[in-house]
Amino acid sequence: DADVTQTPRNRITKTGKRIMLECSQTKGHDRMYWYRQDPGLGLRLIYYSFDVKDINKGEISDGYSVSRQAQAKFSLSLESAIPNQTALYFCATSPGATSGKYEQYFGPGTRLTVT
Amino acid sequence: DQQVKQNSPSLSVQEGRISILNCDYTNSMFDYFLWYKKYPAEGPTFLISISSIKDKNEDGRFTVFLNKSAKHLSLHIVPSQPGDSAVYFCAASARGSARQLTFGSGTQLTVLP
């Protein structure tokens, strides 16, 4: 069973619609992240959360919001989708910094197309 | 302004030979570096990491080298196998940055049989 799951895996939506992408993890990690990947640009951080009450903006948070419903669940919302939000979206988790390891573990991704 | 750069978008190597993937960084606060591998329709998978207190870390066929003075790291894969064909991302993390990862743009490695 996958440790980090994302739903949906693919989504096509229209400009102006609200959409939510969901992420769940069974790794028991405190930290969760949302990234987007665009061709030629690598992965860019949208939001991250160190626990249920700790939410932080990343490099490209405009147009997005998040909710950390529980330690294991972190959702990303596009309140009013626009075509330049068409991208691959990845959720990731990591253990706390006290572990001394900073690797992040990624879900399989959601391909979002905004028409 | 990209703080982590992978200047080669693609690399082709013959099976059995060495693959060398390169990465440069500009932020001197980076002290931990990682390589990820990504297959199509999958998320990135952690491969290997290195702390700035080391200049080499090895794990099986994969070795990462860090040259702090040149702000350069490289991933060596020996011997290369067709299953290694994927996109490889380098990433870096800085102390005091909440340990966010900054990614390069990736290099597509193709290992030819």
Side-chain angles (χ1 to χ4, degrees):
Chain A
D1 288 339
D3 294 321
V4 184
T5 57
Q6 293 183 234
T7 56
R9 292 295 313 277
N10 290 280
R11 181 71 182 266
I12 300 173
T13 192
K14 294 185 183 297
T15 297
K17 292 291 188 182
R18 184 180 187 275
I19 184 168
M20 180 182 288
L21 309 182
E22 298 188 348
C23 176
S24 294
Q25 55 117 345
T26 58
K27 298 185 78 67
H29 290 165
D30 288 328
R31 300 184 173 196
M32 298 187 74
Y33 308 81
W34 275 104
Y35 291 88
R36 65 177 278 176
Q37 184 192 2
D38 298 277
L41 290 180
L43 283 80
R44 292 182 293 165
L45 183 64
I46 306 172
Y47 269 96
Y48 62 102
S49 169
F50 285 176
D51 67 37
V52 173
K53 297 182 180 178
D54 182 14
I55 305 278
N56 304 278
K57 293 183 178 180
E59 178 188 353
I60 53 165
S61 59
D62 287 349
Y64 301 95
S65 63
V66 291
S67 174
R68 184 84 183 264
Q69 300 95 326
Q71 188 211 31
K73 295 184 182 296
F74 192 35
S75 60
L76 176 73
S77 293
L78 288 68
E79 297 301 326
S80 179
I82 56 177
N84 76 0
Q85 290 177 315
T86 293
L88 266 174
Y89 289 84
F90 291 102
C91 174
T93 74
S94 71
T98 54
S99 69
K101 294 185 180 292
Y102 310 115
E103 296 88 83
Q104 296 179 15
Y105 299 87
F106 286 81
T110 295
R111 182 172 293 280
L112 177 65
T113 303
V114 183
T115 62
Chain B
D1 186 27
Q2 280 189 298
Q3 298 185 66
V4 178
K5 297 180 182 179
Q6 294 178 255
N7 291 317
S8 298
S10 63
L11 173 69
S12 292
V13 171
Q14 209 68 37
E15 180 179 5
R17 305 295 292 268
I18 185 171
S19 295
I20 300 176
L21 296 100
N22 294 304
C23 181
D24 297 296
Y25 62 96
T26 57
N27 187 345
S28 57
M29 297 301 291
F30 288 146
D31 66 351
Y32 196 84
F33 304 88
L34 309 91
W35 284 95
Y36 282 83
K37 177 170 71 174
K38 185 184 180 304
Y39 294 119
E42 295 183 12
T45 302
F46 169 70
L47 201 53
I48 192 168
S49 62
I50 187 167
S51 165
S52 60
I53 63 174
K54 296 184 176 182
D55 54 18
K56 175 182 174 181
N57 189 28
E58 191 171 354
D59 184 1
R61 295 186 299 115
F62 302 92
T63 303
V64 56
F65 294 92
L66 176 61
N67 181 334
K68 289 185 290 294
S69 61
K71 293 189 173 68
H72 177 83
L73 65 156
S74 61
L75 175 69
H76 293 208
I77 306 174
V78 183
S80 301
Q81 300 174 353
D84 295 329
S85 296
V87 177
Y88 289 78
F89 292 98
C90 68
S93 172
R95 191 182 306 111
S97 70
R99 288 298 176 186
Q100 296 176 34
L101 295 185
T102 301
F103 284 84
S105 55
T107 296
Q108 171 69 58
L109 173 67
T110 302
V111 180
L112 305 168

